[in-house]
């Protein structure tokens, strides 16, 4: 458990292509917040404790989290559904009152974004690859319907599970709301994290240039629409 129970520890929880790197950058620009990436995915290292890189594994993960969450400031990480149940991390968060920011995005949108990134090898914006960002007009894709359905079921089930587990200590942030109303959404997040709201943050608007209509970029969109119509996933066809 956390040694000096630090109620200011938090985690961004979601899945690939949900917008977690964008939210991480926004939070990291706040002077009271320290953010790390996917340090708990089993192979990562981080320069966050005692000024050294520390590979995380099953034997040291709790010590790792204890030291990080007890550092000065408000300290957060991001973690994906496929990693949080490893090594009992999900229970650790629940037992130690780690705040959870559940970041959600239309799953069809996420899947199309993931497949485009897989096809182009462009997984995120950096200075090095800024000229290689995905041109959705040039990279239409065909989607395997069975793979899509498996993806939707997995992430829907995981989202419901963890939203229930952390319901007493969670804020839900929708990517679409962050995209269209960033100032208000970020004010709510900062208030939840109990840090100053009226501070200068770097408003990262890069994400807005990637707005597109996923169905327009799927070569077999008719098949996808037919598969999702009259199912619990039909609402995903209406992407804001």
């Amino acid at each position: 458990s956390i040694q000096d129970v630090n109620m200011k520890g938090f985690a961004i929880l979601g899945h690939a292509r949900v917008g977690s790197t964008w939210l991480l950058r926004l939070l990291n620009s706040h002077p009271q917040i320290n953010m790390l990436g996917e340090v708990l995915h089993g192979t990562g290292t981080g320069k966050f404790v005692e000024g050294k890189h520390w590979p995380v594994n099953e034997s040291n993960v709790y010590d790792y989290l204890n030291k990080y969450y007890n550092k000065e400031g408000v300290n957060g990480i991001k973690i994906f559904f496929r990693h949080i149940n490893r090594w009992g991390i999900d229970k650790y968060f629940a037992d130690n009152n780690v705040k959870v920011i559940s970041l959600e995005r239309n799953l069809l949108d996420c899947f199309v974004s993931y497949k485009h990134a897989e096809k182009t090898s462009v997984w995120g914006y950096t200075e090095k690859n800024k000229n290689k960002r995905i041109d959705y007009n040039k990279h239409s894709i065909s989607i395997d319907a069975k793979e899509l359905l498996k993806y939707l079921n997995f992430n829907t089930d995981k989202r419901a599970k963890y939203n229930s587990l952390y319901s007493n200590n969670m804020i839900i942030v929708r990517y679409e709301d962050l995209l269209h109303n960033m100032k208000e959404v970020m004010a709510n997040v900062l208030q939840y994290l109990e840090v100053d709201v009226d501070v200068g943050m770097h408003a990262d608007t890069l994400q807005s240039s990637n707005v597109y209509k996923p169905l327009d970029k799927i070569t077999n969109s008719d098949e996808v629409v037919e598969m999702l119509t009259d199912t619990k996933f039909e609402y995903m066809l209406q992407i804001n």
Side-chain angles (χ1 to χ4, degrees):
S1 63
I2 296 178
Q3 295 160 348
D4 289 322
V5 182
N6 183 350
M7 301 296 286
K8 294 185 177 180
F10 72 96
I12 298 172
L13 176 62
H15 48 81
R17 316 309 292 174
V18 76
S20 58
T21 299
W22 181 33
L23 180 57
L24 181 152
R25 288 202 302 263
L26 284 168
L27 289 171
N28 219 18
S29 72
H30 191 288
Q32 293 172 273
I33 296 175
N34 304 306
M35 280 297 309
L36 297 176
E38 296 172 68
V39 293
L40 301 182
H41 66 357
T43 58
T45 59
K47 54 179 181 180
F48 58 10
V49 176
E50 300 167 354
K52 66 180 182 181
H53 288 254
W54 188 359
V56 185
N57 55 54
E58 185 174 7
S59 66
N60 68 12
V61 63
Y62 296 138
D63 194 25
Y64 178 104
L65 289 170
N66 287 339
K67 288 188 176 183
Y68 179 60
Y69 281 139
N70 278 287
K71 286 182 61 180
E72 184 178 354
V74 179
N75 304 299
I77 64 172
K78 78 170 185 177
I79 190 166
F80 289 162
F81 293 148
R82 66 179 183 272
H83 301 135
I84 192 171
N85 64 346
R86 178 184 294 167
W87 308 329
I89 296 168
D90 50 356
K91 187 175 185 300
Y92 176 97
F93 285 175
D95 290 346
N96 292 288
N97 298 306
V98 174
K99 291 179 180 288
V100 174
I101 300 173
S102 177
L103 184 57
E104 302 182 358
R105 181 180 182 180
N106 184 302
L107 286 172
L108 176 59
D109 194 359
C110 290
F111 187 80
V112 173
S113 176
Y114 183 88
K115 286 300 176 183
H116 274 112
E118 194 173 55
K119 181 177 181 179
T120 61
S121 298
V122 178
W123 293 94
Y125 178 89
T126 66
E127 283 299 314
K128 290 182 179 180
N129 71 16
K130 64 182 179 182
N131 295 321
K132 298 180 180 179
R133 297 178 70 207
I134 301 171
D135 183 343
Y136 291 100
N137 294 314
K138 296 180 179 178
H139 295 287
S140 295
I141 57 173
S142 177
I143 283 181
D144 183 303
K146 290 183 178 179
E147 182 184 5
L148 171 61
L149 193 58
K150 181 179 179 181
Y151 173 91
L152 296 180
N153 278 309
F154 174 84
N155 285 292
T156 298
D157 290 347
K158 291 297 183 182
R159 180 183 292 170
K161 173 184 176 179
Y162 292 117
N163 282 7
S164 175
L165 179 62
Y166 302 124
S167 60
N168 294 325
N169 200 20
M170 167 185 280
I171 184 172
I172 295 175
V173 175
R174 286 194 53 78
Y175 167 88
E176 292 82 2
D177 295 337
L178 186 60
L179 186 65
H180 298 298
N181 196 6
M182 183 170 62
K183 185 175 181 180
E184 181 179 338
V185 172
M186 288 307 300
N188 290 335
V189 171
L190 297 179
Q191 192 171 41
Y192 170 67
L193 295 177
E194 301 179 73
V195 297
D196 295 338
V197 174
D198 298 321
V199 298
M201 296 178 67
H202 304 303
D204 186 343
T205 57
L206 296 170
Q207 205 79 8
S208 62
S209 64
N210 260 354
V211 176
Y212 63 98
K213 295 182 179 180
L215 288 176
D216 292 344
K217 308 309 173 192
I218 303 173
T219 56
N220 60 331
S221 59
D222 290 345
E223 180 185 0
V224 172
V225 170
E226 182 179 0
M227 182 187 73
L228 297 184
T229 298
D230 295 328
T231 73
K232 63 181 180 180
F233 301 125
E234 183 174 13
Y235 73 94
M236 294 181 187
L237 298 171
Q238 306 301 320
I239 298 177
N240 295 327

